[in-house]
Amino acid sequence: MQKYAKKSLPLLTVFALHFVGFQAIAQDKAARPSPPVQVSQKVGETTVTISYGQPSIKGRKVWGELVPYGQVWRTGANEATTFEVDKDVKIEGMTLAAGKYGFFTIPNENEWTIIFNKVPNQWGAFKYDEKQDTLRVKVKPKKSSKFNEKLMYAVSSKGTVGILWENVEVDFNVK
């Protein structure tokens, strides 16, 4: 019995190392088709940080198809996008307490709903719960000045946050 145990131990070790190696590769988020991106900017005394998975268009029709109108969207790929502020701010004139939020939108052709949800760590919008919303504001989309193959967030030092993808730009203000 002991001689079999001695022979199988190296085989088990090789298998275990192999399995751990594959797990590490599988968890490398930078290798995803929609890699993680983080944007951080000082707006006055406040730091605004947005973390999201960055999808590309890849020849697809985005608005109304890949991203359906009238439905909650994680506003990125993979995990839900997060929006974090280290001080209380006003979003489009409404108060948002310092903290980290799940960031969702409901896109429509003529108006978007911007949503800050109390649950920042969730996969996509599959378990999104409207009862956990802290703040919702409505903004108007516009045609972007250039075509954006990849979803992009831009935060200016003056507090304008822009969501840009394909030929659409959606801005909201943080003060």
Side-chain angles (χ1 to χ4, degrees):
M1 183 86 168
Q2 275 187 330
K3 77 177 179 183
Y4 291 106
K6 287 181 182 176
K7 287 182 180 179
S8 63
L9 184 60
L11 183 59
L12 286 174
T13 303
V14 169
F15 176 77
L17 288 173
H18 213 60
F19 179 76
V20 169
F22 280 125
Q23 287 292 85
I25 291 168
Q27 293 177 358
D28 183 7
K29 293 179 181 181
R32 291 178 174 174
S34 300
V37 176
Q38 187 174 78
V39 175
S40 192
Q41 174 68 47
K42 278 285 215 191
V43 175
E45 296 295 314
T46 303
T47 301
V48 175
T49 303
I50 302 169
S51 301
Y52 64 103
Q54 187 178 52
S56 297
I57 295 171
K58 299 179 184 172
R60 301 174 289 184
K61 181 173 179 352
V62 175
W63 307 115
E65 289 187 19
L66 181 62
V67 178
Y69 287 128
Q71 294 182 22
V72 173
W73 176 41
R74 62 185 141 194
T75 322
N78 307 317
E79 294 87 359
T81 296
T82 60
F83 183 94
E84 187 171 6
V85 287
D86 61 353
K87 293 185 177 40
D88 294 358
V89 295
K90 297 258 185 200
I91 305 287
E92 293 293 310
M94 299 183 73
T95 302
L96 181 69
K100 185 175 185 179
Y101 299 91
F103 182 82
F104 299 91
T105 57
I106 301 173
N108 283 297
E109 288 184 76
N110 299 313
E111 183 176 72
W112 281 39
T113 303
I114 307 292
I115 304 168
F116 300 88
N117 186 273
K118 294 176 194 170
V119 184
N121 299 321
Q122 51 185 302
W123 184 263
F126 301 106
K127 293 189 178 183
Y128 165 80
D129 180 359
E130 183 176 343
K131 291 182 217 133
Q132 297 299 316
D133 290 352
T134 298
L135 177 65
R136 284 180 168 223
V137 297
K138 305 245 184 202
V139 295
K140 302 285 183 199
K142 62 184 178 184
K143 185 171 174 55
S144 60
S145 61
K146 68 175 191 139
F147 181 82
N148 295 285
E149 171 66 26
K150 294 181 178 190
L151 173 66
M152 185 175 90
Y153 284 83
V155 183
S156 78
S157 61
K158 293 183 180 185
T160 301
V161 175
I163 305 165
L164 301 107
W165 200 21
E166 195 186 57
N167 58 357
V168 170
E169 179 176 344
V170 177
D171 296 330
F172 61 94
N173 293 304
V174 177
K175 301 243 184 246

